[in-house]
Amino acid sequence: MPPSEPFLQTQRSSPLADRAIRRRRQALFLLFLLPGIAMSSWVTRTPDVRDQLSLSTGQMGLVLFGVSVGSMIGILCSGRFVSRFGTRPVMALGTLLIIAGTVVIGVGSAVPSAPLVTAGLCLFGAGMGGGEVAVNVDGADVERITGTAVLPTLHGCFSLGTVVGGSVGMAATAAAFPVHWHLTVVALIATGILVHALRAVPTGIGISAAPSTPGPGPSPGSGPPRRSEPQVWKDRQLLLIGAIVLAMALAEGAANDWLPLLMVDGHGLDAAMGSLVFVGFAAAMTLGRFSGSFFLRRFGRAAVVRASAVSGAVGLLLVIFSDNAVVAATAVLFWGLGASLGFPVALSAAGDSGPDQTARVSLVAVIGYIAFLVGPPVLGFLGDHYGLRSAMVVVLVFVAAAILIAPAADTRDRTAAAVDVAQRTQPGTHPAGQHQGERS
């Protein structure tokens, strides 16, 4: 009997297990909060970093390309690492790379050295991309255990981290506090958070995903992994979910990479006010993600994704075409609300769309990170030739397309079919059918 939302399935457990799950969930919240703080800390300082490096908008786009390359490397490796080693060590490694990248960015801004800043952003991106799949897989596992939507709140913690880091970054910008000292303090705080949070994360989560992939063939050790990847790539609905992630990740990533500079160069604000607008964007993202569970329960995934895309499109439209800086700054709030739920809701839908959750979440995350890979240099190139406001039209087109494909995020019918198949195959002796019934 599938519920209205497939991932909301109640399971009873002992008080001791409940306590462990609460600690684990809180640890995941901290592990999402940490990269948000670190990311917004250097994003709010991008005008200062650009000036210290004496770069044009196009050259800054190439520097930001470092985080995209690192993210893609991390995201491509993460799925395999999670399947082999579990989520915990991948989270630890990803967070350590974020901390190391933050330090290197600070050192590169102090030297100053554009290649060093690019290398730091590459490390930072590898940590973000590698760790994010692991945390999302672990969060999806907590969703199954607790029967509650965890991923929107997890991503809300990331957005809350961007508010915290962005607020501090805005104050540091206004006070002309050196970038390298600012980022060093952030790295020290992040190290403490990592040591505290990692204790509550269990080992072994995600390791069984690849071997347990349902599929025909007599060899359980080698057959399913070879068959699972083509089957996942051929899943049309999963690819549409990936397209939603691509559009919404581009909307979020464009703001993360360019919003302070967009407000400074495109609307004439000073660096501190540009940082303030970014904090407003992050606050809107946080509000949207923390309230997401309520709207998901009430309206379902497809309606939430469609409404998010509409809000994002309206915000982008006003930011691009309004010449009033106050209107544009206010519209950023709609942009932030619109970008808030597309990524986590689509990832949750991907994990719930069929067997082999690790492969599905990894695939959709890879598609989403294409936006982070291609976005910075393309927007930087267009910004050099036409201005950053005009460059954002590309983002607007993708977000508008997400409005049309939003129904792909509704996986209720597919989950019901999977449950029905599992019930019919359970009495048999085929191990894959039995396991699929357990996962459904």
Side-chain angles (χ1 to χ4, degrees):
M1 291 187 300
S4 59
E5 282 296 333
F7 53 85
L8 300 178
Q9 299 182 14
T10 303
Q11 299 184 18
R12 297 184 180 274
S13 56
S14 67
L16 185 62
D18 287 342
R19 225 170 12 246
I21 286 294
R22 281 198 301 271
R23 290 181 62 243
R24 177 182 172 190
R25 185 168 52 192
Q26 290 165 2
L28 294 178
F29 291 161
L30 287 174
L31 290 171
F32 250 78
L33 183 78
L34 186 155
I37 293 173
M39 188 201 71
S40 62
S41 295
W42 66 260
V43 167
T44 53
R45 306 309 299 268
T46 49
D48 291 329
V49 172
R50 181 190 63 174
D51 293 343
Q52 287 179 261
L53 298 178
S54 302
L55 300 178
S56 67
T57 300
Q59 291 170 329
M60 191 64 184
L62 292 177
V63 170
L64 291 173
F65 188 63
V67 72
S68 305
V69 171
S71 296
M72 184 56 70
I73 293 172
I75 205 79
L76 288 173
C77 296
S78 184
R80 291 185 176 90
F81 287 171
V82 168
S83 295
R84 183 169 183 179
F85 303 108
T87 57
R88 190 174 189 265
V90 179
M91 289 182 205
L93 177 61
T95 306
L96 287 172
L97 288 175
I98 289 173
I99 294 169
T102 302
V103 172
V104 174
I105 293 167
V107 172
S109 67
V111 172
S113 168
L116 198 55
V117 172
T118 305
L121 289 171
C122 188
L123 287 173
F124 191 99
M128 286 278 290
E132 182 160 328
V133 169
V135 179
N136 276 295
V137 169
D138 212 287
D141 185 64
V142 173
E143 281 187 341
R144 287 198 306 272
I145 294 172
T146 62
T148 58
V150 174
L151 288 180
T153 308
L154 278 179
H155 286 259
C157 287
F158 174 84
S159 297
L160 178 61
T162 63
V163 173
V164 174
S167 299
V168 174
M170 178 186 64
T173 300
F177 190 71
V179 174
H180 59 284
W181 288 120
H182 173 201
L183 296 184
T184 299
V185 172
V186 170
L188 290 174
I189 294 173
T191 302
I193 293 175
L194 172 63
V195 172
H196 171 74
L198 206 59
R199 298 172 182 171
V201 179
T203 59
I205 304 300
I207 291 180
S208 61
S212 64
T213 302
S219 174
S222 59
R226 286 196 303 267
R227 291 178 176 270
S228 63
E229 187 174 356
Q231 289 175 353
V232 168
W233 274 98
K234 291 178 180 179
D235 191 323
R236 181 180 177 184
Q237 183 174 10
L238 188 63
L239 293 179
L240 288 174
I241 293 171
I244 294 172
V245 168
L246 177 69
M248 304 314 286
L250 183 60
E252 181 179 352
N256 290 339
D257 289 333
W258 293 109
L259 186 54
L261 285 173
L262 172 64
M263 300 309 296
V264 170
D265 294 349
H267 289 282
L269 301 182
D270 60 29
M273 289 302 296
S275 296
L276 178 61
V277 172
F278 176 79
V279 171
F281 172 86
M285 291 270 293
T286 303
L287 176 63
R289 283 173 170 172
F290 278 122
S291 61
S293 296
F294 168 80
F295 291 105
L296 284 168
R297 286 193 300 268
R298 189 171 181 85
F299 301 106
R301 286 177 179 146
V304 167
V305 170
R306 183 180 290 111
S308 297
V310 169
S311 177
V314 170
L316 280 161
L317 194 67
L318 292 174
V319 169
I320 294 168
F321 295 106
S322 174
D323 292 325
N324 187 307
V326 175
V327 172
T330 303
V332 166
L333 301 178
F334 290 96
W335 182 355
L337 283 171
S340 63
L341 289 174
F343 202 115
V345 171
L347 283 177
S348 186
D352 198 43
S353 63
D356 198 348
Q357 185 181 62
T358 299
R360 289 176 177 273
V361 172
S362 298
L363 171 61
V364 170
V366 167
I367 294 174
Y369 269 91
I370 291 174
F372 295 118
L373 178 68
V374 176
V378 169
L379 294 177
F381 174 81
L382 294 174
D384 247 359
H385 288 77
Y386 306 104
L388 277 175
R389 285 170 60 179
S390 298
M392 293 297 157
V393 172
V394 175
V395 184
L396 176 61
V397 170
F398 276 88
V399 173
I403 300 172
L404 302 177
I405 58 177
D410 189 353
T411 56
R412 287 176 296 180
D413 293 339
R414 175 173 289 203
T415 303
V419 171
D420 182 62
V421 170
Q423 289 173 343
R424 285 188 279 109
T425 58
Q426 188 112 10
T429 57
H430 197 294
Q434 184 175 359
H435 186 78
Q436 185 175 351
E438 292 169 357
R439 289 182 62 89
S440 301

